[in-house]
Every structure is written in C-alpha cells, then in structure tokens.
Amino acid sequence: MTNVPLWIWGITIVVILGLLAFDFIFHVRKAHVPTLREAAIWSAIYVGLAIVFGILVWAFGGAQMGAEYFGGYITEKALSVDNLFVFLIIISSFAVPREDQQKVLLFGIVFALIARTAFIFAGKAIIDNFSWAFYLFGLILIVTAGKLLAPEKEGDDEANNFIIRLAKKYLHTTDHYDGDKLFTYENGKRVLTPMLLVMVAIGGTDILFALDSIPAIYGLTTNVYIVFTATAFSLMGLRQLYFLIDGLLDRLVYLNYGLAFILGFIGVKLVLHALHENQLPFINGGEPVPVFEIEISHSLIVILVSLLVTVVASLASPMGKVKTAVRNVERHAISYLHTEYHGTESDHESTYQDMLKAAERLKGLDPERVEQMMDETGTYEVVQKAHALRASLRHG
C-alpha cells in the first residue's frame, strides 16, 4: 500500500468531498447556532472516522504506515486547534453573527484543505528532486517553534489587515451583513458583504498555516497518501470542535509551548534525516553523515506525551482560567470597536453589555493575575477604547 492505487485515491477523495457536502447540506446551509450536544456528537463522529481509517491503514498497510498516519493526524489536529485561536479572533473582529459563523468556518476548512493539498504535492515534488529539501523543512519547523515561544504581539487587528484594506479600497464593499450572503445590493449596486471579507481573511491565514503544517507532517512520513489523508481527517470536524471547545480554547495556555516542542522535535528529526541522506558537497564532503535517526514509533510516543502534558498542565493552571476570562472581555471589546459591522444600534449596545458582563466575571479571580494578563494581552487598552467610544456615542 506504499504505492497507493488510483482507485483507492479516487474512493478517498469521494468520501472526503461527500463528508464536506453532507456538512454543508445538513448543518451549515440553514444558519443556526449548534447546541453543545450537536457539536459533541459530530466531533466524536469525525474523530471516530479518522481512527477507523487509521486502523484500516494499519491493517492493510502495516504498522509503519499506521504509526505514520496516527503521528501525522495527531500533529495536524493539534496544529488545527491552534488555528482555531486565529479564526476566533477574526470572527470576533468582524462581529460575525453567531448563527452565521458555521458558514465561515466551513469555508475556512475547505480552503485550508485546498491550500494544504497544493502544498502537499509541491512538497513531494521538492523532496523527490532536491535532496537538501529536508534541511530546509527542518529549518522552517525550528524557526516556527521559536516564533511560537515569542511573546504575543499587541494591537493586531485582523479586521484591518493588508488584504482586507486592499479589498475595501478597490472593490465595492459594504460594512453591513445581509444574513450569510456574500453579495448584496446597496443603493442599486452589487457589493461585497463583510461575510466575504472575513472569508478572505481566513483564507489568507490558511495559506500561512499550510507553510508550517506540511513540513511538519513530511517530517513524519513522505508517503503522500498518508500526508493527504492525515491532513484531511485532521480538518474534518474542526467546525464542530470550534463550538464544542469555544469556552475552553483560551484554557490551553501552554498549547504554544507543546506545539513548539513538537515542531522543534520534528525539525531536528528532519535535519538528522537530511544528514543521514546527505548529498551536499560542503557537508562531510557530500557523503552521508552517520547520525542517529528517530523511528516513527518513538516520534508518535513523543507527540502523544507532549500533547497530554500540555493539555493537563493547561487545564490545571490557574492562569488558564484567568486568560479565558480576559480573552473573552477582549473579544467583546474588539467586536464593539468595529461599529461598522453591527447591523443595528441595539446589536452594538448588546455587544458592549456582553463586554461588561465578561469584565464582571474577572472580579471573582486573582486580581494580580488578572492585571498581569490584561497588560500582557493589551486588553486593558482595548477596553478603555471601548468605554471611550460608548461615551462619545452617548454624548455625541
């Protein structure tokens, strides 16, 4: 099964497209907010499908392929959860109505699958034609790991990024939603709605995510079928997972550290493999370097243990609870500041009241930790701007 027949590729692609179509027709087409029960059931179903597929790979392709699939799936799933943080910020920045967020998320998943598929085949072509590619991929992952450990930048505004500013400047856009429509009519002219703009923002971030995720999985396997299926199944159910762990996302305070360790580990693994297969003339005279190579079984254990420690430590951390509460305040404040995306004055005021309620919950937490997190994340400044805006609107 190393060289997977075309008919298996065909069946796999049809199944994945079928799952996406099913998701759209039965869950997304009619705008609604998924219940916790609905999100939990369908998240479990998609994870179950991924596990069943992995068992089939293990049964028909052998233990090596099975371990490669599960290692790739778990790594990509962890990276996908990290991506949800950015989706959450973008959705908050554009004040996307809760019932319409499913459509945005499904688009993000489909676009991510398309972008990553392109990078998968491009990566395979590079690996097959350039022996030094593993050095490059390893370096990318080590640099990415370092960036994950860097302090968060304050003042990022996903609703006013470069692509969105260009779209607003050169295309006919409106700041008002019309349900979940991508286009609407304003003063007799056909214009783009914020729903389309938020999809453009998410599509742009998907491309950046692919630059990190594809080298990571190629560090575990070079079997393009395993890379594709592990990536695809890791994206399946991400929409449901968003609503299921919406309130828990910020509790994963150590996720960046866990991912940094995993990406750094895979980066080192790639460099060791590159040295073992070395053909670069300025390294060991173009001859392979006899170095220790990390087996896929060891990689799988390291990935699983790293994520387990990360999640347990995050959920047990008092700072995690504080960060959840502070980030909730921040998102409501950011949403309130983007007055252009609110349909009515009452919607805008409702967002402000949500911010006040979220801020009220901070009073039951450790004040020193709250103050530290408010300063670190820049939430204090954002909240002050929200208060100033409301004061000006009420007295202006």
Side-chain angles (χ1 to χ4, degrees):
M1 195 172 168
T2 302
N3 297 316
V4 180
L6 283 176
W7 65 270
I8 292 182
W9 269 100
I11 292 173
T12 304
I13 291 170
V14 167
V15 168
I16 290 169
L17 292 177
L19 289 171
L20 290 171
F22 175 84
D23 221 11
F24 176 76
I25 294 169
F26 292 99
H27 294 118
V28 176
R29 188 168 60 174
K30 184 179 179 181
H32 72 287
V33 181
T35 63
L36 191 62
R37 182 174 180 273
E38 177 187 337
I41 290 172
W42 283 103
S43 292
I45 288 173
Y46 279 112
V47 171
L49 287 173
I51 292 172
V52 168
F53 180 82
I55 292 171
L56 291 174
V57 169
W58 199 299
F60 292 100
Q64 174 78 9
M65 282 186 68
E68 288 176 357
Y69 167 80
F70 280 113
Y73 171 75
I74 293 166
T75 301
E76 293 296 305
K77 197 68 172 179
L79 288 169
S80 296
V81 171
D82 192 46
N83 297 352
L84 287 181
F85 282 97
V86 181
F87 287 177
L88 192 59
I89 293 169
I90 292 173
I91 286 170
S92 296
S93 297
F94 280 92
V96 179
R98 185 75 170 168
E99 63 272 14
D100 295 325
Q101 291 178 7
Q102 290 202 89
K103 189 170 186 177
V104 173
L105 290 165
L106 184 61
F107 168 82
I109 290 166
V110 172
F111 193 89
L113 185 56
I114 293 170
R116 293 184 191 197
T117 299
F119 277 98
I120 285 169
F121 286 101
K124 182 63 174 175
I126 292 171
I127 289 170
D128 287 345
N129 290 282
F130 302 100
S131 60
W132 47 262
F134 286 111
Y135 285 114
L136 177 62
F137 284 5
L139 183 62
I140 289 173
L141 293 183
I142 292 169
V143 170
T144 301
K147 287 182 178 179
L148 284 173
L149 295 176
E152 295 180 22
K153 292 182 180 179
E154 296 178 11
D156 287 345
D157 189 347
E158 297 294 342
N160 279 311
N161 67 35
F162 178 69
I163 298 173
I164 299 304
R165 290 199 298 272
L166 281 180
K168 287 184 173 181
K169 185 175 181 179
Y170 295 106
L171 301 174
H172 295 295
T173 64
T174 179
D175 292 327
H176 305 295
Y177 286 96
D178 185 5
D180 61 358
K181 293 179 182 176
L182 304 182
F183 298 91
T184 189
Y185 286 90
E186 194 173 77
N187 300 323
K189 291 183 178 179
R190 195 166 187 253
V191 293
L192 309 178
T193 70
M195 185 62 69
L196 184 59
L197 293 179
V198 71
M199 288 184 177
V200 170
I202 283 181
T205 59
D206 277 334
I207 293 174
L208 295 177
F209 293 150
L211 289 172
D212 297 334
S213 70
I214 299 310
I217 194 168
Y218 269 125
L220 299 171
T221 177
T222 56
N223 185 319
V224 71
Y225 180 76
I226 296 299
V227 172
F228 173 75
T229 52
T231 300
F233 277 107
S234 74
L235 292 170
M236 296 288 106
L238 201 59
R239 177 184 61 79
Q240 293 87 346
L241 190 63
Y242 174 90
F243 289 97
L244 180 63
I245 65 172
D246 189 1
L248 289 176
L249 271 176
D250 290 320
R251 290 296 301 276
L252 302 177
V253 287
Y254 299 126
L255 181 61
N256 275 8
Y257 295 101
L259 287 176
F261 177 79
I262 290 170
L263 293 182
F265 169 78
I266 297 175
V268 171
K269 182 178 186 295
L270 277 169
V271 172
L272 290 175
H273 178 75
L275 288 169
H276 192 265
E277 304 290 330
N278 179 62
Q279 294 180 14
L280 294 180
F282 54 84
I283 297 178
N284 199 36
E287 295 296 320
V289 181
V291 293
F292 172 76
E293 280 212 87
I294 303 169
E295 298 291 332
I296 184 61
S297 57
H298 298 151
S299 299
L300 183 56
I301 292 169
V302 169
I303 292 166
L304 283 170
V305 171
S306 301
L307 287 176
L308 181 62
V309 170
T310 298
V311 172
V312 171
S314 294
L315 295 179
S317 167
M319 186 59 82
K321 193 172 183 180
V322 172
K323 186 174 183 180
T324 302
V326 170
R327 284 299 197 191
N328 198 27
V329 174
E330 180 190 34
R331 280 192 287 272
H332 286 306
I334 290 172
S335 181
Y336 180 77
L337 288 172
H338 284 285
T339 56
E340 68 272 29
Y341 296 123
H342 293 274
T344 64
E345 288 184 17
S346 62
D347 289 339
H348 194 208
E349 178 62 21
S350 176
T351 302
Y352 181 79
Q353 294 303 323
D354 287 340
M355 183 193 78
L356 292 182
K357 290 175 186 175
E360 189 68 23
R361 297 189 194 103
L362 296 177
K363 294 180 180 179
L365 302 172
D366 185 326
E368 288 187 10
R369 285 198 174 104
V370 169
E371 185 177 356
Q372 177 188 344
M373 189 60 64
M374 292 281 281
D375 288 338
E376 285 181 3
T377 59
T379 301
Y380 180 78
E381 290 79 5
V382 176
V383 170
Q384 290 302 108
K385 288 179 183 177
H387 286 317
L389 173 61
R390 187 170 186 268
S392 67
L393 290 175
R394 288 175 68 86
H395 299 102

